[in-house]
Amino acid sequence: MSRQEIVIRANSKSNLIDFVELWNYRDLLFFLVLRSFKVKYAQSILGVGWAVIQPLVATLIFTIIFGRVAKVSSDGVPYFLFSLCAMVPWNYFSNTLTDSTNSLVQNTNMLSKVYFPRIVLPLAAVFSKLLDFLIGLVLLIIMIAIYEFPFSWNVLLLPLLIIVLLLNSLGLGLWLSAMAIQYRDVKHAMTFLVQFLMYLAPVVYPTSNIPEDYRLIYAINPMVGVIEGFRSIFLNTGPMPWTYLGIGFVVSLVIFLLGILYFKKAERHFADVA
């Protein structure tokens, strides 16, 4: 009896993302997103309530330390709202960064046994955090209503901010996930890296505290435009920061494209080092 030999070859297509293949594996992507969400809140008494408690507690701590004790400026709005408005996009970014970095390491069994587009794993990490982001957004809107802040039609610009946020989160996530599968030090360094990045973004202080000569350089961090855009939309702290957003969008796009290139180059070795 002749034996059949199965040869698995690398995809020869040169496009950055094979959307047709991704669509064919949409059920796997949906399953991973659902599994991530269930695992996070499984056997938890408060369940999804943690998506509300976590930003609220962090905001309260920042309000006491930076708003009351350190007297940090909040652009004329209550510090609680000022901080919460930044915490909503920041929590999404930091949680996505951490989860996508660990996405390959936590699924090494899948990498070495079956074929599927490897990019599905960091993508699932990015999409699974969107529900927490939406819950945080609803919490922010409720708090703004309690403080009786006026509604602005600038809220229609929110999708632009979310696009920059997604590009930045996914781009860095692709970089770090591909590095973490080969160098596990990346996984352990994430706690320090996320805290360091938070103080590089205007989460607890306004961009107006940065000397004017350095603000364009500061805006190279895409989270500057996103956070200041959130404050402009929801708190009317000033005009829409189009310059910061433009710089942030270009930088996010470059990070995203380079992230895909690095991920595609490294993915052929994932099964060997997993």
Side-chain angles (χ1 to χ4, degrees):
M1 180 181 293
S2 63
R3 296 178 57 186
Q4 287 186 336
E5 184 178 356
I6 300 175
V7 178
I8 301 176
R9 297 184 186 280
N11 194 339
S12 60
K13 293 183 178 179
S14 59
N15 48 338
L16 288 175
I17 299 179
D18 190 342
F19 290 103
V20 175
E21 187 181 44
L22 269 182
W23 176 252
N24 292 335
Y25 282 87
R26 63 188 181 282
D27 290 341
L28 175 62
L29 178 60
F30 178 75
F31 168 76
L32 291 172
V33 171
L34 194 62
R35 186 189 68 171
S36 174
F37 187 74
K38 285 183 176 178
V39 167
K40 182 176 180 181
Y41 296 114
Q43 297 183 326
S44 168
I45 296 175
L46 297 178
V48 183
W50 284 110
V52 175
I53 294 172
Q54 287 172 344
L56 266 184
V57 171
T59 303
L60 282 172
I61 293 172
F62 288 159
T63 301
I64 294 170
I65 296 176
F66 296 102
R68 298 294 175 85
V69 179
K71 303 290 183 186
V72 174
S73 167
S74 58
D75 283 344
V77 299
Y79 193 90
F80 179 82
L81 282 182
F82 175 84
S83 179
L84 182 61
C85 203
M87 286 303 295
V88 173
W90 176 258
N91 271 348
Y92 175 78
F93 173 72
S94 61
N95 290 333
T96 297
L97 207 58
T98 304
D99 282 14
S100 56
T101 299
N102 297 328
S103 61
L104 296 179
V105 177
Q106 290 174 343
N107 294 282
T108 51
N109 289 337
M110 291 177 63
L111 292 175
S112 57
K113 291 179 180 175
V114 295
Y115 173 77
F116 61 94
R118 283 11 184 174
I119 198 172
V120 164
L121 292 174
L123 270 179
V126 171
F127 291 150
S128 66
K129 297 300 172 194
L130 281 176
L131 182 60
D132 287 350
F133 175 70
L134 290 175
I135 293 173
L137 208 54
V138 171
L139 173 65
L140 174 63
I141 292 171
I142 291 173
M143 288 299 170
I144 288 172
I146 291 174
Y147 275 83
E148 298 181 344
F149 263 68
F151 174 81
S152 168
W153 285 105
N154 281 341
V155 75
L156 297 176
L157 299 173
L158 187 60
L160 295 177
L161 304 182
I162 294 176
I163 288 173
V164 177
L165 184 60
L166 285 174
L167 282 175
N168 190 35
S169 304
L170 182 57
L172 285 174
L174 289 170
W175 271 97
L176 293 171
S177 62
M179 292 175 67
I181 191 71
Q182 189 165 9
Y183 309 105
R184 303 301 165 89
D185 311 74
V186 176
K187 175 185 173 183
H188 300 297
M190 283 309 297
T191 304
F192 309 109
L193 179 63
V194 169
Q195 288 181 349
F196 176 68
L197 290 176
M198 190 190 79
Y199 290 105
L200 287 183
V203 175
V204 297
Y205 57 86
T207 302
S208 56
N209 277 15
I210 303 294
E212 194 168 352
D213 292 342
Y214 298 104
R215 287 180 193 170
L216 292 181
I217 298 174
Y218 182 60
I220 290 175
N221 178 356
M223 291 307 294
V224 173
V226 172
I227 291 174
E228 289 299 336
F230 262 73
R231 285 173 178 152
S232 172
I233 285 176
F234 291 107
L235 303 179
N236 294 316
T237 53
M240 198 65 177
W242 290 114
T243 304
Y244 299 161
L245 272 176
I247 296 172
F249 174 76
V250 172
V251 173
S252 296
L253 189 61
V254 171
I255 290 173
F256 176 70
L257 294 175
L258 291 178
I260 291 179
L261 286 172
Y262 181 74
F263 190 91
K264 285 180 70 70
K265 183 179 178 182
E267 69 177 347
R268 69 188 67 175
H269 304 298
F270 286 168
D272 299 326
V273 297

